[in-house]
């Protein structure tokens, strides 16, 4: 069985969308490591390239077998909603959670991924539910009602993101399109990384919220930055082993990163101007040289196909800094 990825680094990505940022407390994982539900009876038929059914998927909750192509999918993950539409499974999606805001054609969500309600989910008459966290033991609860559930936890590296996209393709009968999406992502990200000037040895700070919490190189987002040859100042922070250290204003000021990436723009209205008002930050090089990059909060916290857009934003910032 493919192990459930419940490291703090992975769980936090999904949690930030649900709980918001800038609340003054430490970001915490939404749940402890979920106990895998009893596997759905396995079928001997593997997931074929043509999307034939039945298919068996090695999900975070064990082997899950789908006897036929699902036609009423419920997604309780904003990342997986994006993926489902990107791979051509959009017409099969009948309901999503209230954090799923992309693409525009996705259903308007009235379900909670943070506090999943079994009755509300069942009312949608799903033949497949896709989740990224087993909150309130939703896998077991839906299993009792014979509703197939795919637990696809937050990716901790790009290969895991690619794997999940491919698996969702197989599970929904859209494997060929999913493989096409993954191939396109690989090509685009590899090209962007290859184009980045790496001789400048630029440093950066990625802000999750204005507490401030940061992300180290060991996290999913940190590994994306690593492709561009950037050095993460948070890696030397005290208690960085968890992946998301709480930094002091003094630590950031002393590190004086060349680039500052803000992932708390929508939620917390952070900008170069708000950073300049923080104690000791007005003279930071990134502020003086206009190297503060406002990211889309969603792109910076999801691990689906739009990771390419995040990589594009990072690549553009690195190119600008490298040319200065």
């Amino acid at each position: 069985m493919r192990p459930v990825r419940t490291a703090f680094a992975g769980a936090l990505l999904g949690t930030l969308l649900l709980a918001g940022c800038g609340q003054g407390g430490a970001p915490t994982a939404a749940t402890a490591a979920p106990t895998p539900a009893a596997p759905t009876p396995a079928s001997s038929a593997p997931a074929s390239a043509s999307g034939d059914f039945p298919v068996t998927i090695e999900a975070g909750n064990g082997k899950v077998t789908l006897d036929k192509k699902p036609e009423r999918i419920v997604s309780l993950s904003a990342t997986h909603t994006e993926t489902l539409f990107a791979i051509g499974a959009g017409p099969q999606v009948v309901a999503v959670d209230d954090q799923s805001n992309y693409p525009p054609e996705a259903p308007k969500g009235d379900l909670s991924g943070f506090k999943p309600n079994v009755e509300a989910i069942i009312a949608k008459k799903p033949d497949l539910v896709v989740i990224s966290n087993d909150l309130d033991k939703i896998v077991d609860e839906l299993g009792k009602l014979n509703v197939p559930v795919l637990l696809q936890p937050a990716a901790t590296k790009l290969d895991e993101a690619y794997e999940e996209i491919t698996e969702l393709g197989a599970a929904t009968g859209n494997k060929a399109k999913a493989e096409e999406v993954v191939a396109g992502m690989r090509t685009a990200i590899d090209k962007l990384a290859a184009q980045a000037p790496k001789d400048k040895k630029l440093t950066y700070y990625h802000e999750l919220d204005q507490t401030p919490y940061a992300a180290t190189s060991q996290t999913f987002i940190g590994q994306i930055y690593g492709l561009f040859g950037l050095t993460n100042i948070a890696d030397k922070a005290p208690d960085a082993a968890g992946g998301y250290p709480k930094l002091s204003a003094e630590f950031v000021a002393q590190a004086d990163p060349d680039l500052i990436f803000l992932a708390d723009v929508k939620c917390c209205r952070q900008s170069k101007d708000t950073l300049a008002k923080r104690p000791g930050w007005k003279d930071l090089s990134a502020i003086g040289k206009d190297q503060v990059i406002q990211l889309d909060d969603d792109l910076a916290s999801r691990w689906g196909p739009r990771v390419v857009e995040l990589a594009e934003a990072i690549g553009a910032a690195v190119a600008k800094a490298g040319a200065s």
Side-chain angles (χ1 to χ4, degrees):
M1 182 177 77
R2 182 157 58 88
V4 177
R5 296 180 291 274
T6 53
F8 186 64
L12 179 62
L13 290 172
T15 306
L16 286 174
L17 282 178
L18 296 170
C21 64
Q23 302 304 312
T28 56
T31 181
T35 302
T40 304
S43 165
S44 59
S48 68
S50 64
D52 295 336
F53 288 82
V55 295
T56 298
I57 308 299
E58 288 278 357
N61 53 318
K63 291 184 177 180
V64 178
T65 296
L66 300 171
D67 294 326
K68 60 182 181 179
K69 180 178 178 178
E71 299 295 342
R72 297 189 61 82
I73 300 172
V74 170
S75 171
L76 298 183
S77 163
T79 294
H80 297 326
T81 297
E82 293 190 13
T83 297
L84 288 166
F85 276 82
I87 64 175
Q92 299 159 253
V93 177
V94 296
V96 300
D97 71 304
D98 54 12
Q99 299 298 314
S100 290
N101 56 6
Y102 188 89
E105 60 267 28
K108 298 303 179 184
D110 59 357
L111 299 173
S112 173
F114 189 61
K115 288 289 184 181
N117 182 292
V118 175
E119 290 75 15
I121 296 170
I122 292 299
K124 305 297 183 181
K125 299 180 180 179
D127 50 11
L128 177 64
V129 176
V130 182
I131 61 176
S132 57
N133 285 289
D134 189 18
L135 299 174
D136 295 339
K137 299 187 182 299
I138 192 65
V139 172
D140 283 339
E141 293 302 313
L142 290 174
K144 294 175 183 177
L145 300 172
N146 297 317
V147 176
V149 180
L150 277 183
L151 170 59
Q152 302 280 36
T156 61
K157 54 187 178 181
L158 267 173
D159 283 345
E160 290 178 355
Y162 296 149
E163 178 186 18
E164 289 193 354
I165 294 170
T166 301
E167 289 172 347
L168 284 174
T172 62
N174 296 278
K175 189 173 183 182
K177 178 61 177 177
E179 291 175 343
E180 178 183 325
V181 168
V182 168
M185 291 174 66
R186 288 184 186 274
T187 299
I189 291 176
D190 288 348
K191 181 178 180 180
L192 288 167
Q195 292 173 339
K198 300 180 176 65
D199 57 339
K200 294 285 187 176
K201 300 187 183 304
L202 299 170
T203 60
Y204 79 97
Y205 159 58
H206 176 92
E207 179 168 289
L208 293 170
D209 72 10
Q210 70 270 37
T211 305
Y213 275 90
T216 71
S217 297
Q218 301 306 309
T219 64
F220 179 85
I221 187 72
Q223 292 174 34
I224 302 296
Y225 284 109
L227 296 174
F228 293 85
L230 299 176
T231 298
N232 193 336
I233 67 166
D235 291 347
K236 294 184 178 180
D239 302 320
Y244 295 93
K246 180 179 180 180
L247 306 181
S248 67
E250 293 76 14
F251 179 91
V252 177
Q254 289 176 5
D256 194 16
D258 297 304
L259 295 160
I260 295 177
F261 294 89
L262 300 178
D264 51 0
V265 177
K266 289 181 179 178
C267 73
C268 314
R269 302 180 184 278
Q270 296 304 291
S271 66
K272 182 179 72 172
D273 292 338
T274 63
L275 295 190
K277 295 177 182 178
R278 298 182 189 179
W281 285 34
K282 65 182 179 64
D283 295 324
L284 287 179
S285 298
I287 293 177
K289 296 180 179 179
D290 195 24
Q291 300 289 1
V292 176
I293 299 90
Q294 292 180 282
L295 298 174
D296 182 306
D297 297 17
D298 295 337
L299 294 183
S301 60
R302 298 176 186 176
W303 59 98
R306 289 202 296 162
V307 166
V308 172
E309 294 181 39
L310 174 62
E312 289 173 346
I314 296 172
V318 171
K320 177 184 175 183
S324 62

